[in-house]
Amino acid sequence: MYLFSILTVAVFLMGCPYETEVPIDQPGVKYPTSLLGKWEPKSSSDDIYNIQKKDDYIITITKTKKEPKADDVPTVYEAFLSEVDTVKFLNLSEKKEEENGTVKFYLYKIEISPSGARMTLSAITENIDEKFQTSAELKNFIQQNMNHSFFYDKEEEVYIKAE
């Protein structure tokens, strides 16, 4: 299974993942092109996520309703991949927060099926109390704990390609 987290988009759908002011590292891991396109949660949902290329390392995720009402406003995220050992993680931030001058990253382990039709996001649990000043400190912490089951939320978020 091709590991890598994106549907980060998923973040917007499930519980609250760990929130940090620093990303795991700077954008430098190219995302698979199979990540681009429309995705929907496998569990019943009225939401759809459209993932588009911003550049070779950053994607834009737009969350909308399948059947939007006039007053529905899309939620827009930016995301990029980081690699810790051979495991891919998604660094997700909401564009609205960036525009307000505050950036918070939500972190997910991401796996994409070999066919590119299914994405699984495992949120790093919000139960982590540690705060990090640098990306290097955060990445080291993840490396030390990423193989423990308690490091992730119990429920994985599964997305299916909608195209």
Side-chain angles (χ1 to χ4, degrees):
M1 190 178 260
Y2 185 67
L3 290 182
F4 127 28
S5 152
I6 170 212
L7 220 240
T8 145
V9 139
V11 163
F12 13 129
L13 345 205
M14 296 316 241
C16 296
Y18 177 69
E19 179 181 300
T20 176
E21 294 179 7
V22 297
I24 297 171
D25 53 21
Q26 296 305 308
V29 175
K30 289 189 177 185
Y31 55 84
T33 58
S34 61
L35 188 59
L36 303 176
K38 292 185 180 180
W39 294 84
E40 55 186 292
K42 185 176 178 186
S43 60
S44 62
S45 174
D46 296 332
D47 298 324
I48 193 144
Y49 298 87
N50 188 18
I51 299 175
Q52 297 178 308
K53 173 182 180 172
K54 178 175 181 181
D55 62 32
D56 287 342
Y57 305 101
I58 300 173
I59 54 173
T60 301
I61 301 166
T62 305
K63 175 185 169 187
T64 58
K65 298 287 183 192
K66 287 182 184 175
E67 297 178 19
K69 297 182 176 122
D71 60 345
D72 286 340
V73 177
T75 304
V76 180
Y77 302 88
E78 278 193 357
F80 62 92
L81 296 177
S82 293
E83 196 169 273
V84 179
D85 294 335
T86 59
V87 179
K88 301 271 191 298
F89 288 87
L90 186 65
N91 299 265
L92 180 73
S93 62
E94 189 173 349
K95 283 295 285 175
K96 186 168 97 175
E97 291 176 350
E98 291 178 23
E99 293 166 2
N100 293 334
T102 59
V103 179
K104 294 177 188 153
F105 294 93
Y106 304 96
L107 306 177
Y108 297 84
K109 179 173 86 170
I110 185 170
E111 297 176 338
I112 296 177
S113 68
S115 69
R118 178 185 172 112
M119 175 175 41
T120 303
L121 297 178
S122 301
I124 293 179
T125 181
E126 68 179 346
N127 296 328
I128 295 171
D129 294 329
E130 287 79 0
K131 299 292 179 198
F132 302 94
Q133 300 299 313
T134 68
S135 293
E137 292 172 350
L138 173 59
K139 191 171 189 175
N140 185 53
F141 180 80
I142 291 171
Q143 189 173 33
Q144 292 175 10
N145 293 285
M146 67 185 192
N147 294 320
H148 300 291
S149 60
F150 64 78
F151 194 62
Y152 305 97
D153 285 347
K154 289 183 181 183
E155 297 292 321
E156 293 179 328
E157 301 167 31
V158 176
Y159 296 87
I160 305 297
K161 197 87 174 243
E163 298 178 286

